[in-house]
Every structure is written in structure tokens, then in C-alpha cells.
Amino acid sequence: MIGLDGVSAQALSDTIGAIYDCALDPQLWPDTCLKIADLCESTGGGICVHDLRHARNDQLFVFGYQPQFLETLGSQYAQSPMAAADIVASVGDVNILSTDRPALLESRFYQEVLAPFGLTDMIWFPALRTGGRMASMHASRKDKAPHYQQFEIGLFKLLSPHVCRALTISDALDIRTLRSEMLEKTLDVLAAGVFLTDRGGRVVYMNETAARQAKIGTSIRILNNRLDPVDSAARAALSVAIAQATSHDDEGATNPRSLAIPAVSGAGYIATLLPVQRGQRRDIVAPFAASVAIFMQDPIEAPMMPGEAFARLHKLTGAELRVLMALAQGLGAKDAADMLGISEPTIRSHLQHMFSKTNTLRQADLLRLLQSSTPAVRAPQAL
């Protein structure tokens, strides 16, 4: 392969190879975007997804930008020169903002979006159109860096067909966006707190319950973006458990592990670790770059199984279920009898029938069975 002036053939070959590696593993895109940006001496870059139906602008695999810039760009993208150019552009067509530099400097987009964050120019090309969304790859320069010239345009033109093919092969944006949205909705209704961490124990995602547990902070906290049990022994045990769960040398690493995460004043959570970096598990959580899923459950607050389902499971009668639910509220036999308008001997008779049907011997065992039949989901609650 013949390189462009200033870029070796080996560097171009390595970059194109990295692009096609992304077709098989979308999580390689951040490093590949950085590699492309380095070739054209850019300070920022990444992939942008434009939802044409909902006027949304999402940044994926981006680097070198302040969060405020990304928010500003997203809110004003529809009115930007980039959006206008992409309407008529074909997939793979390369554009730069400074094609008409005087007009750019006078534009509201430059003055309100680029200039406040020191950005001087952007180069990009539409890389994929699928359904109501379009994706583009971009790079940018800031501060006093010169505007993009023919060299950078030529480099992007050389690389754009490979990027477009790689994205089409894997449809990486659909995998990331759709799986992330579906996974988030699923995890957010779980009764247990779910923390997804990388190999180093850094939290890359947590559901609503987990965020609430960390905010309360009596058993588990987030410190330097890592899970930090309040109890020192639990902190050390969790660190070891994460390391073991992500170890390729550990034959038992595919199995879940459980450990106690005590609270300052007693009780606390039971943490169960499940490796997610293997096989289909890895594909499902790849959007979060997670290696371990940690389920944090408070056994005291575990919601009870819906009575109707429990009754059908154990073939309880309606009368027996009413007695069971009354006792589950903490009522004694006499109070339950008074509430239901029946006698204490009838309560005891129903209990004997339920013991037989559930293979339990005592009221405590029966209530424990009901309590342990815990549903995985809960109604969403605001933080």
C-alpha cells in the first residue's frame, strides 16, 4: 500500500486493519477513532449518531471534548453546517467546516458552539444510514491548530470506505444503542442493585436500585468510580472476588460467587458476582464494557412473591391464602382471626393444610418460604 505524504504505508495498513477489527468487536472503536485522529493530528473525534426521527444527537466512542460541548452540539446540531451538508452528502463523502472559512467564522454555529470551547475546525463523513438514523465519523482541532487541508481530506477519503464497510458489517450502532436501551430498561426494574464493573473494579453502569444503595452509603459507596464497601474486610473480599471473576486462569470463574457486605450498624447486603466477559454474556453487556455483574440484595427488604402466584404454585385455597397473607403482615393467630372474621382453630386448621402442601413444619418455615420466593422485578422508584 502506498502511503500519503507524511503517513507510512505501515501506519495506514495498521489503521485499516484496526477498522475491520471493529466490525467484529465494536468496543475497539474508541482506540481506532483515536488512531485515526492521531494520523490527521486531531485533538478530538469519535462517532456521532443522528436520530433523524427524534432530532437526537448521540456521541459514541468520543474523546477530547468537554461534556458541555457535546451537550451544546447535540442541542444545536440540527441547525449546524454539518447537518445541512449531510442532507445532500452520500455515505463516505468527506467534508470540512472550514471549506468557506470566512462564512464559518461569522456563523452562529462557530460563535456559539465551536469558539466557546476553543474548537477551530471539524472534518467528517457520513458512515452509515440505517432506518431513521445516520452515523458519521469525525475529528476536530482546537486552539491555534491550523484548519484541515488537502492532506487530511485525502486521508479521510482513503479511510472512509473501510469505516463504512466495517459499520455495515456489524451494524455496531444498532447493537450498542438498542441493546443498551433494552438492557437498561430491564436492569432498572430489578429488585436487586446491579453494578457492572470492568476488570479493575471500576463501575461502568448501575441500575436505579444500585444507585440508591450507593447514595444511602451505609454498606456500599462509590469512591474514585469504584465500589467501596464500608466494611474493610468486605472491601478486601470484594476486590479479590472481582479479580477472581475476571481471571482467565480461574476454572471456577464462570460460576457466581456470593459474599457479605455488612452495614455500619449491622445487617447489610448480599453481593453475588457473575462474570460477563465470556460467550453470549459478553455480547449482551458489551455496550457497557463490563467484565463483572454484581447483584446487591438486601435480604430484609426482599419483596414478597405475589400471593396469587404463590397460591397457584402450592395449590392453596383462597381461604388459606387469606390466612397466609394476614400472617405475613406480622399478625398473630388471634389478630389474624379477628381481621378475617374466623376462629383461631380455623386459622390453625388452614396452617396445617398449608404445611402439608408446602412441605413445611412450622409457621416460621412457611413465612420464610413465602419471603424467599422473591420476584426479580419491582415497580420503578424515583431516586
Side-chain angles (χ1 to χ4, degrees), residues 301-323:
E301 296 183 356
M304 282 190 287
M305 185 178 189
E308 182 180 356
F310 187 87
R312 289 184 179 181
L313 184 64
H314 296 287
K315 297 180 172 58
L316 305 186
T317 66
E320 290 166 353
L321 176 60
R322 285 191 292 275
V323 169

Side-chain angles (χ1 to χ4, degrees), residues 65 69 72-73 76 81-82 97-98 104-105 107-122 140-143 147:
Y65 299 114
F69 167 73
T72 304
L73 177 63
Q76 300 194 32
M82 301 170 72
L97 282 178
S98 59
L104 172 66
L105 297 178
S107 68
R108 287 186 57 188
F109 181 74
Y110 177 81
Q111 295 173 8
E112 297 180 6
V113 180
L114 300 183
F117 300 96
L119 292 168
T120 56
D121 203 358
M122 298 187 78
S140 63
R141 286 177 172 173
K142 64 184 303 184
D143 299 328
H147 293 271

